[in-house]
Amino acid sequence: MPLTAGIVGLPNVGKSTLFNAITRSQVEAANYPFATINPNVGVVEVKDPRVDDLVKIFKPKKTIYTTFEFTDIAGLVKGASQGEGLGNQFLSHIRNVDAIVHVVRCFDDPDITHVHDKVDPLSDIDVINLELILADQQSIEKSLSKVERRAKAKEKEGIFEFALLTKVNQHLLEGKSVRSLALDDNEQLVLKSYHLLTAKPVIYVANMAEDTVTHPNDNRHYQAVKQFAESENADVIAICAKIEEELASLSDEERDLFLQDLGYSESGLDQIVKATYHLLGLQTFLTGGPDEVRAWTFTKGMKAPECAGVIHTDFQKGFIKAEAYSYTDLMTYGSESAVKDAGKLRIEGKEYTVQDGDILHFRFNV
């Protein structure tokens, strides 16, 4: 299953334009609220130059990049948690994603309607965050009575869960997101099953005009979003959704030239994907051979058997050893055989913590 991020924000902030750029698809992006009525899902390849380098060495029949799934969620409005606009049906879509990409309008344009008739990014953020908090509060309150009965019956897990939900509910009543609440590992594990909206990590995307995106710190709207994001220990990325959409329509060569002309080392979309991977603590290991070169996503800190399970559950069940060497060593020595001759190929066991950029071959027996 690909990892998922939900693109959220008020109507007409550039969500669907950004989604078009991400997936190279033609999602409707009309200039009126609720133009996006159904959640649009697109799976995008995560381009990795290390994969391209492995292809040059192994010359495989097939190349597979790791993927990331983005969901474009219709513009939320004040009262969404109570069913206003298109309401709860969209909030339910957010529950199914791993992270939230919150798009905020940081440009002035009289021709593009703002749902509140003024451009005020902090107010926009507050509206979205409050709706997510209210939705979580409703979810927790529905569960509290059931868990309370278990607690009164002296059930150990029920007592623990009731205390946890009571603490979370109080935090929400104070208008705070769950991700800002200090929780231990056990509490986080229990709370994970509730799929709370405000527990999800968030990246803020400041959608700017073409003439300001190259120097975002000169934009007062961006400065306000940046300051807010820093208060949440969150990342903020400045993009121009229109430029990103143009880039998506170009060939790779044209795209590189366009980025050079703009003075960019990478596109805003590349930055979003990288930031999301960092946010979720994700890394990549690689497999390579004449049949296939492939990138695999794993969570930082995973042991070798767990990473084997990313490929297939049988690999994890019957794990014996992993042959491992680094991408850096492959680039240094030029071939897998040269890596072996240099003594850089390792045989790792069950306790080995896989590193980003490891090239692995698993030995298993089922």
Side-chain angles (χ1 to χ4, degrees):
M1 289 290 290
L3 288 138
T4 59
I7 305 172
V8 304
L10 289 175
N12 295 344
V13 297
K15 297 182 316 304
S16 293
T17 304
L18 176 61
F19 181 79
N20 289 345
I22 288 171
T23 61
R24 300 197 180 196
S25 64
Q26 293 301 314
V27 178
E28 185 180 9
N31 179 27
Y32 57 91
F34 316 123
T36 313
I37 295 179
N38 295 309
N40 295 283
V41 178
V43 178
V44 60
E45 285 186 333
V46 179
K47 295 297 184 182
D48 189 332
R50 296 174 298 185
V51 174
D52 300 330
D53 288 337
L54 262 64
V55 167
K56 292 173 186 175
I57 291 172
F58 289 107
K59 298 178 173 54
K61 297 172 185 174
K62 189 191 297 183
T63 304
I64 303 175
Y65 295 87
T66 189
T67 58
F68 209 106
E69 185 177 282
F70 285 88
T71 302
D72 177 33
I73 298 164
L76 297 172
V77 294
K78 188 175 183 179
S81 60
Q82 305 295 325
E84 288 296 321
L86 293 165
N88 287 324
Q89 69 185 90
F90 295 117
L91 292 174
S92 68
H93 299 314
I94 307 174
R95 294 195 188 280
N96 298 322
V97 301
D98 299 306
I100 292 174
V101 175
H102 188 159
V103 183
V104 186
R105 178 170 169 172
C106 291
F107 64 89
D108 296 297
D109 188 336
D111 295 326
I112 299 180
T113 306
H114 189 287
V115 71
H116 295 149
D117 297 322
K118 64 175 182 177
V119 178
D120 184 344
L122 293 187
S123 174
D124 294 353
I125 289 172
D126 282 344
V127 168
I128 298 295
N129 284 349
L130 179 59
E131 293 308 318
L132 302 186
I133 286 169
L134 290 172
D136 278 351
Q137 193 182 326
Q138 289 173 17
S139 179
I140 291 294
E141 287 179 349
K142 284 179 184 177
S143 300
L144 265 172
S145 57
K146 296 178 185 176
V147 178
E148 186 177 19
R149 286 196 293 270
R150 290 167 50 205
K152 286 181 176 177
K154 306 298 182 183
E155 182 187 321
K156 185 178 178 181
E157 290 81 3
I159 293 170
F160 176 83
E161 196 165 339
F162 180 70
L164 171 61
L165 293 188
T166 301
K167 178 167 70 171
V168 170
N169 192 47
Q170 181 57 43
H171 194 72
L172 292 166
L173 285 169
E174 293 170 5
K176 300 173 184 176
S177 298
V178 175
R179 60 180 166 267
S180 67
L181 178 61
L183 298 169
D184 63 32
D185 291 344
N186 198 19
E187 288 174 323
Q188 288 181 20
L189 185 63
V190 171
L191 209 58
K192 192 174 182 180
S193 64
Y194 286 87
H195 302 288
L196 296 177
L197 304 173
T198 65
K200 298 181 185 298
V202 63
I203 292 172
Y204 292 97
V205 173
N207 186 19
M208 306 179 68
E210 294 178 48
D211 59 349
T212 62
V213 71
T214 53
H215 40 92
N217 286 314
D218 294 340
N219 181 302
R220 62 188 177 88
H221 298 314
Y222 172 80
Q223 286 282 25
V225 175
K226 183 180 179 182
Q227 188 173 357
F228 178 84
E230 286 174 351
S231 73
E232 287 197 334
N233 293 316
D235 287 335
V236 57
I237 296 170
I239 70 159
C240 173
K242 284 184 179 179
I243 289 178
E244 299 302 323
E245 193 171 27
E246 285 181 49
L247 284 168
S249 67
L250 302 176
S251 68
D252 289 344
E253 187 177 344
E254 291 171 329
R255 179 176 175 274
D256 290 343
L257 288 172
F258 191 7
L259 285 171
Q260 286 177 24
D261 289 343
L262 292 171
Y264 290 173
S265 58
E266 58 186 353
S267 72
L269 300 183
D270 293 334
Q271 294 177 56
I272 291 171
V273 170
K274 280 186 178 179
T276 307
Y277 263 67
H278 176 72
L279 184 70
L280 296 173
L282 304 177
Q283 295 182 327
T284 303
F285 72 85
L286 306 156
T287 54
D291 290 327
E292 179 184 279
V293 163
R294 183 163 183 167
W296 305 86
T297 300
F298 70 101
T299 302
K300 185 178 180 180
M302 273 188 174
K303 304 291 187 183
E306 294 175 285
C307 285
V310 171
I311 297 177
H312 197 287
T313 53
D314 285 349
F315 284 27
Q316 183 169 0
K317 290 175 185 174
F319 179 87
I320 300 172
K321 296 288 183 183
E323 294 180 7
Y325 58 94
S326 71
Y327 161 81
T328 303
D329 284 339
L330 181 63
M331 291 301 100
T332 299
Y333 295 101
S335 70
E336 189 173 63
S337 59
V339 169
K340 291 178 182 178
D341 292 342
K344 295 295 184 179
L345 187 142
R346 311 180 309 277
I347 303 299
E348 302 288 1
K350 291 182 178 180
E351 293 306 309
Y352 175 64
T353 301
V354 174
Q355 302 299 308
D356 185 53
D358 271 353
I359 301 170
L360 302 174
H361 174 72
F362 294 105
R363 298 178 187 175
F364 70 101
N365 183 26
V366 177

